[in-house]
Amino acid sequence: MLLITCPCCGVSGEETEFAPGGEAHLKRFGPGSEEGEFAGYLFYRKNPKGPHFERWRHAYGCGKWFHVARDTVTLEIFGAYKATETAPPQEILDRIAARGKA
Amino acid sequence: MSDPVTATGGARFAGSDCAISDLGALGMVAIRGEAGDPAFAAAVQAETGFALPPVRRFEGEAEAGLCWMSPDEWLLTCPYAEAEARAGRLRAAFGGLHALAVNVSDARAAFRIEGEGARALLARGAPVDLAPAAFGEGDVRRTRLGQVAAAFWLGRDGAFRLVCFRSVGAYVFDWLKASAASGARPAGF
């Protein structure tokens, strides 16, 4: 079970209160882009064994989207940050590095 | 105007250690706006009589008050007949602010859960720490109950009030009734 703290409302809950939204920080390629870029945006996703950055939604709570850094092996949550961030904050990267998983 | 009819038609259930009752037609006004905007906060305070409650808090007595719903959303609860007028007064007070107030009284069903078994009953269905030290009077939680979304708060009178979408009102009442009747309780209560 994952315990997640929503960075929007500050409420902590377990994972059934949230809805997963897949890989975070995708760069969107729309009309006019190369076919390869569009296919990559639409279909190809990372499937890492270790730290992963994901989108989540506080579906049963405040309803807001946000980002979570999570280890897919140990299920450790390194932290959550707002959907407006385009890259993981340094403190979360430091926490991941401190686990020797940079 | 036709008379309001609640989702469960005034259903009641008395278990061995808790009682569940339909709150009847409850006025509810959804308020959305920027919490950090002093003009918005002042308009809400002036029209409702309550300061904007902070995260996970309810301001008010019994069923009438202002309930935190999300960082930019609050729910004003009041007598059913007043809801439309109060929403209109709030809209007028907001003026040109980027904020809204809408009468959503018919969108949700509301229940009252009381008795010493009330905490344990809710704890069975909601992934929330309901120990007295962690969830006290005036605390609110918007979460999941059974398989549906619900929000509840603990009033100063020691009874919980729970709101859920009207379409699942009968399910929530039946869920609470079945859980209360089964007598099973989570550990730690």
Side-chain angles (χ1 to χ4, degrees):
Chain A
M1 181 177 73
L2 303 174
L3 292 174
I4 299 172
T5 300
C6 173
C8 299
C9 66
V11 169
S12 295
E14 53 93 69
E15 66 186 82
T16 61
E17 198 175 298
F18 298 83
E23 185 183 330
H25 307 307
L26 294 178
K27 185 179 179 194
R28 284 165 178 75
F29 290 95
S33 58
E34 297 291 322
E35 280 188 10
E37 289 174 333
F38 184 64
Y41 155 60
L42 200 59
F43 299 115
Y44 295 109
R45 293 291 178 268
K46 290 177 190 155
N47 185 19
K49 185 178 177 184
H52 191 212
F53 302 99
E54 298 172 321
R55 302 172 75 225
W56 283 78
R57 192 170 88 90
H58 198 177
Y60 287 102
C62 69
K64 307 280 190 277
W65 282 97
F66 59 95
H67 291 138
V68 170
R70 176 178 77 96
D71 191 305
T72 59
V73 178
T74 63
L75 301 188
E76 177 179 1
I77 304 266
F78 297 110
Y81 49 102
K82 294 207 168 182
T84 48
E85 305 280 335
T86 54
Q90 191 58 43
E91 55 168 329
I92 287 179
L93 295 176
D94 290 345
R95 221 169 287 150
I96 295 172
R99 285 276 187 275
K101 291 172 177 171
Chain B
M1 277 286 287
S2 45
D3 293 330
V5 175
T6 63
T8 62
R12 283 170 187 280
F13 174 79
S16 58
D17 60 356
C18 59
I20 305 143
S21 51
D22 186 334
L23 268 179
L26 179 66
M28 288 177 257
V29 177
I31 300 171
R32 299 200 78 146
E34 174 61 50
D37 182 348
F40 171 72
V44 172
Q45 166 111 44
E47 282 305 321
T48 67
F50 301 109
L52 281 178
V55 59
R56 287 216 312 108
R57 293 292 293 171
F58 174 85
E59 294 286 339
E61 295 290 336
E63 284 83 60
L66 194 56
C67 183
W68 175 89
M69 293 294 269
S70 84
D72 55 4
E73 183 183 1
W74 295 264
L75 188 71
L76 174 70
T77 52
C78 61
Y80 185 90
E82 296 177 11
E84 191 62 43
R86 296 193 71 162
R89 286 208 302 273
L90 274 162
R91 276 195 294 273
F94 292 153
L97 291 176
H98 185 59
L100 66 78
V102 180
N103 177 10
V104 293
S105 303
D106 299 309
R108 290 188 176 95
F111 300 97
R112 175 189 169 98
I113 304 155
E114 58 199 316
E116 55 176 332
R119 279 180 187 273
L121 173 61
L122 285 173
R124 279 194 81 193
V128 174
D129 184 356
L130 279 155
F135 198 96
E137 287 174 5
D139 274 346
V140 174
R141 188 59 196 259
R142 205 174 173 191
T143 184
R144 173 181 66 81
L145 185 83
Q147 314 221 5
V148 299
F152 52 79
W153 68 88
L154 178 58
R156 276 188 252 280
D157 52 3
F160 284 90
R161 309 299 195 287
L162 182 146
V163 295
C164 62
F165 288 119
R166 182 193 178 93
S167 56
V168 293
Y171 165 83
V172 166
F173 182 80
D174 288 345
W175 188 96
L176 291 168
K177 191 169 101 172
S179 301
S182 76
R185 295 287 177 265
F189 281 90

